[in-house]
Amino acid sequence: MTARARAADVMNRGGENRHGPHRTLDAQVEEVRSEARRRFAGFVLDVANPGSHFRNHARRPLDNRVFEQAGELGLMRFSLPAEAGGDGRDKLAWGVVVEEIARLSRDPGFAVLLDITVEITELILSSGTPELIERYVPDLVAGRRFGVQGAYENRDPYDYTSTARLEGDTWVLNGAKRFLAGAAFADLFILFLRDEASNDMLAFVVEKDDPGVTPVPLDTMGLHTMGLGQVLLHDVRLPPWRLVWRADALSELNTYARIRRTMSACGVLGALDAVVENCVESLAARRRGGRPVLDYTNVERSVGEMHMLLQSARASVYRALDGTRSADRDPHFDELATVAKHRTAESALRVGQLVMGLQGGEAYMATFPWERFMRDVLGLVSGQGSQETLLIQLGQRSIVGLEGKRVRQEAAERVVTRLADSWWALHAAVAFDGPGEPAGPLREVLSAAGLEAVGPGPRAEAAALLGRAHTLWAAVCSGAAPDALPQGPTDLLGGRLAEPAAQAWALLACAVAERTGLLARLLRPCTAKEAAGTLPVGLAEGLLEVLADAALVRRDGGGRYVAAEGLERVLIGGPRASAFAARLRRAATGGARLRSGAGTPQDEPAPGCGGEAPALAEALVDSLLGHLEGLPAMLDLPGARVGCAAGDGGRSAVELSRQIPGLPVLALEPQQLPAPTACGQVRVRVGDPAGFEEDDRLALVWLPVAGLPGDGLRPAVAAGAAALMRGGWIVLPCPLLPKRPLGAAAVHLGLAVTGGTAPADGEVEGLLRAAGLGHVRTAWKDHALGIRLIAARRP
């Protein structure tokens, strides 16, 4: 008898991989935390903690001997590289150690100062300067010296008032650095200054005993034991080897700030954990009204909120720490670290408020730890960027990231569009095979591509190449793909035809790869064999090489291929993928039609119809609906209907019906439909829309214009306008011509091949106004799709 499965067994099953059971991040953290307690807890409790209350009360900074003892214990070595005498542990492990020390310490600044001097050591190691490393690193690792960093001046880094100038072979430093942790007792400083000559940012190691260096203590609200202070520089003269980086110290500063934010959050997290635990422990013995205080619901609720804040901060910090182990991490700005620092500081502030409420009068007394926690947290909030600065940086980063993603997506699609331009140019060069002048769109393409004077030899070779291309396309469409990719452009296609031929061949490879699913399988890195699927591996390898040469596919060092980043949105499925596939098919079949001079068995619909209909119908509802005044209300009226006049066999009408469910969508081209039928909400309407009665008119008319012949646009617009009810809208998907001459000419040629046309500038708008419509405008456009939506309203 099979044992009954339990819900926990089904829902909480743990995954295993070839390395054995998966180790969670929590398990890794707990292992390091246990090690930290075993190795360092006694030192914190026995050496660092005694006298902390009175040091704080007297505003006396930590004794340097504490850091020397920490060095003897190996604290400073923990995360330093092995070649520098360290243990070589990663930043996740070091962050957990910093958190645990902050949790055990009664001085919240101690863990922060430990990390600062460790990171100063790392900065000096990164300089690669033997004199700096030999002079300072051994003492820093041993705790015999303490170092801090000074960068910010509440100004832009390139607008520093602190400067350095080179006089002969000596650097002369002047200025001031404010709000440096540990400045009151530090032995050395890494200071960032502006080079007067180049305006570049430079960094120097400055010792406290250098002539002209004056540390000045700061009187602050909290963090009294951290030795906060300023460093004044007056004609401080330094030898060249004190220069840490010879150029672009800003990049190094950003790297330092990236780490410091995470570690600052670790210190706050440890202090936060301690105050929550101590608060609950202090309340355990209290009673009110004969009941333990912890039994009251409002107290339970406050403790629950404190725990939630602690865990949310912890999750944010641990994710940032885990991110430090990623090779793909941005070396200059860490979004996770910025979020962690902000989240942890906000959580600490809220926990402080809750503790103040629970502790009552004790919370305001300096003899208890609660008041000090609030003061010290406020000081930690401002370090490594104020909360507002963090939000501004995150906002800037988010905006730049989203804009960059959009640009990369559009750029990838435009690469394919440019390949299509060459595809049409090569077809035009082959189609024009006699004396005289080419006519109409053919002439426009040849002129834009500079191919008017192609000789008969190259033209014949181009014709052979296109013959192989269309044979391959036909074979793939029939399910009989060849074992290998046919021969591409040869050396005979030199001169002006070389580049168009290579790009046209890449367009074919892209169309075949999309049609067969090979391109979509490249959403993740895979070998040619893995990407091939049911295709012959030889054909897949040939296609991948062509696509890689066209920058649509990237190769990695392991012999794997992956699609260009910007292609993801057209490969994951959905309306955008349908439109992308439609554009590739239209180019392939249109080229075949131009080459043969006759229609192909399955002509592709014009731009704005067929496979592009899902993307446009989605744009109508998601992006455009709210901008067409009164249309949502019109669509809600009893009996409201939509008319679709697209010549794509009802595809556009179906997509409109999917996006506007429950509303009848009438297909108004009965000649392109098999019979007057009803299919879901899409209904075929036989008759002239201009003859509709007023109560039978439409709230919305959808009229793609690219598929209309040159003389069909005016009557179609007039009929569509007449079919509208008062307040109704007509939306016309129109080609959006590229600014590139060849791109615009290729669009014209592609439309001419299928009997359509691209209206002249302002032509559609003029016809709409002539039909008595108002609010005429381009309401939406997409350059990657090459389509705009022109809208107009019946008064």
Side-chain angles (χ1 to χ4, degrees), residues 1 28 46 74 89 94 128 346 374 396 421 485 570 577 612 760:
M1 181 177 179
Q28 297 175 55
D46 295 336
R89 305 292 287 274
W94 177 237
E346 291 294 310
M374 282 298 291
Q396 292 171 338
D421 295 345
L485 185 68
V570 299
E612 288 167 328

Side-chain angles (χ1 to χ4, degrees), residues 39 47 54 84 128 180 223-224 234 266 298 417 419 446 450 477-478 532 542 545 557 570 604 645 651 700 791:
R39 292 179 59 182
V47 178
F54 293 97
L180 277 65
L223 298 173
H224 296 152
H234 178 70
C266 290
N298 65 315
T417 301
L419 298 181
L446 290 173
C477 291
S478 65
E545 288 303 307
V570 299
E604 286 294 323
R651 176 72 183 273
L700 172 67

Side-chain angles (χ1 to χ4, degrees), residues 56 81 87 96 245 277 288 335 391 453 459 479 523 539 558 560 565 594 610 669 758:
N56 175 72
D87 295 347
V96 175
W245 302 287
E277 181 178 345
R288 291 290 186 273
E335 180 175 300
L391 293 176
R459 184 183 296 112
L523 282 169
L539 176 60
R560 298 179 301 176
E565 180 185 359
L594 177 62
E669 299 88 2

